[in-house]
Amino acid sequence: MLPQVITLPEALVESLRDNFPEEWLAGLPGLAERMLGHWQLSMDGKPMHGMASLVLPVVRDGVRAALKLQPVDWEHESEPVGLKIWDGDGIVRLLDHDQDTGAMLLERLDENRPLSTMPDDFAATEILAELLARLTKVPGPSNIRHLKDIAAEMVADTPSAVTKLSNPDEQRLLRDWAARVEDLLSEPGDRLLHWDLQYDNVLAADREPWLAIDPKPLVGDPGFDIMPALDNRWDEMVATGDVTKAVLKRFDLMTEALGIDRERAAGWTLGRALQNSLWDVEDGEDALQPMQIAIAEAVTSLRK
């Protein structure tokens, strides 16, 4: 097979340069060429990308597939583990995996038809909920990160983050969210979670109408996986004129599909608001996102 020259998308280059070591970016074209040869793959279209991954449409033995290359860091290292366990049930199928480089050969889905393009917001959320229910039925393995550790670290990091917020009311909110998470630490759950099941991480497929992609697997309570269904397509929530009602409509749909306790799920949703806010503070922000506050206020209203 002749060498296949890979040109990296400029948006991916900028994202990798901002967030990952320069040497990994410099070696990416060569890695792509090596893996194309290693798995006897032929290019079948233009390179695609996520925030940190290069995805090449390929063909092997007449079968369409996708070659995914990304840095093997804390965020991505568990992806092949989760994909092997799920084995295509509600999610893209892993066809092959190279342990040394983290390269994955995946089933090809339709990148031009993410669930976010479905006009009916409620119907899209129903699909998201059904997929998440299937994924979280699976017990989590012992060899990937656990929500109990992530949540405990979030609680421990909160006091320092509070001092960096400029608004006293928002400082109080962050402390309240951390206290709610601390209450849940003794029962962190044992299901295999996707961690980022939002509308752009569901694509149309041939094998099933819709399949999930791009998991960041961890073990924990399914309630921790609801937030991406709430804070995505946010403009549509605002456009309803009643954000609290719109949030709770999605929240109720998700908890019913998952078959989980609403109040407990509300607590873990506050945990996601806490996590998102801690990341924002770490990036230099001194205020909470209004969207995170609105979602937290909506799910907190369930206790009143």
Side-chain angles (χ1 to χ4, degrees):
M1 180 179 292
L2 294 174
Q4 300 174 77
V5 178
I6 306 300
T7 301
L8 301 181
E10 187 56 39
L12 175 61
V13 171
E14 293 178 6
S15 178
L16 289 172
R17 185 174 288 134
D18 290 341
N19 297 288
F20 296 95
E22 183 69 33
E23 56 267 26
W24 199 90
L25 173 59
L28 182 54
L31 173 61
E33 292 167 21
R34 290 197 305 276
M35 296 314 301
L36 288 169
H38 175 69
W39 280 326
Q40 296 294 294
L41 307 171
S42 298
M43 288 286 293
D44 187 40
K46 295 181 179 180
M48 301 172 289
H49 66 92
M51 290 295 294
S53 59
L54 174 67
V55 181
L56 302 178
V58 295
V59 173
R60 180 171 69 172
D61 298 329
V63 177
R64 298 165 70 247
L67 174 62
K68 184 176 184 179
L69 305 170
Q70 61 193 5
V72 182
D73 60 2
W74 69 270
E75 185 175 359
H76 303 104
E77 62 185 358
S78 61
E79 183 171 351
V81 178
L83 290 176
K84 287 177 184 177
I85 294 171
W86 281 310
D87 193 24
D89 187 1
I91 198 164
V92 65
R93 179 164 283 140
L94 180 67
L95 305 177
D96 214 334
H97 172 235
D98 183 69
Q99 185 70 39
D100 293 337
T101 64
M104 291 179 286
L105 188 64
L106 302 169
E107 169 185 19
R108 179 97 68 89
L109 307 183
D110 187 349
E111 73 279 1
N112 295 313
R113 289 182 58 209
L115 188 57
S116 59
T117 61
M118 179 176 281
D120 187 331
D121 174 72
F122 190 75
T125 305
E126 286 184 310
I127 292 167
L128 201 68
E130 187 271 335
L131 289 174
L132 187 58
R134 290 168 65 182
L135 296 177
T136 56
K137 284 180 180 178
V138 179
S142 60
N143 61 336
I144 63 172
R145 61 200 160 205
H146 201 294
L147 178 57
K148 64 183 178 184
D149 301 317
I150 292 171
E153 185 175 348
M154 285 159 44
V155 171
D157 289 344
T158 297
S160 175
V162 164
T163 66
K164 298 174 184 177
L165 294 176
S166 57
N167 186 313
D169 289 335
E170 293 185 2
Q171 292 176 345
R172 176 185 53 79
L173 279 177
L174 206 65
R175 286 194 292 264
D176 289 347
W177 298 348
R180 188 76 178 276
V181 172
E182 192 168 20
D183 289 341
L184 297 170
L185 287 179
S186 61
E187 297 182 72
D190 65 354
R191 301 290 94 183
L192 184 57
L193 308 184
H194 183 287
W195 205 354
D196 192 23
L197 192 62
Q198 40 94 354
Y199 303 89
D200 280 325
N201 277 344
V202 175
L203 299 181
D206 294 329
R207 180 166 55 86
E208 294 193 32
W210 301 96
L211 290 169
I213 63 167
D214 203 23
K216 311 291 187 292
L218 76 158
V219 179
D221 190 299
F224 194 68
D225 253 4
I226 291 177
M227 177 62 100
L230 305 180
D231 65 7
N232 279 252
R233 298 179 70 149
W234 185 250
D235 289 346
E236 295 171 48
M237 307 275 264
V238 174
T240 67
D242 189 337
V243 168
T244 295
K245 182 179 179 180
V247 168
L248 291 180
K249 183 178 180 180
R250 285 191 191 176
F251 179 83
D252 288 345
L253 194 159
M254 298 297 293
T255 54
E256 183 176 347
L258 293 170
I260 57 177
D261 178 75
R262 291 170 80 234
E263 186 169 332
R264 185 176 182 81
W268 282 120
T269 299
L270 293 181
R272 287 299 286 265
L274 175 64
Q275 184 177 64
N276 292 337
S277 299
L278 290 174
W279 284 339
D280 286 342
V281 170
E282 186 178 348
D283 288 340
E285 298 293 332
D286 66 353
L288 302 180
Q289 290 184 27
M291 177 177 64
Q292 300 296 321
I293 296 174
I295 292 171
E297 287 178 344
V299 300
T300 300
S301 70
L302 295 173
R303 304 185 81 184
K304 298 177 180 178

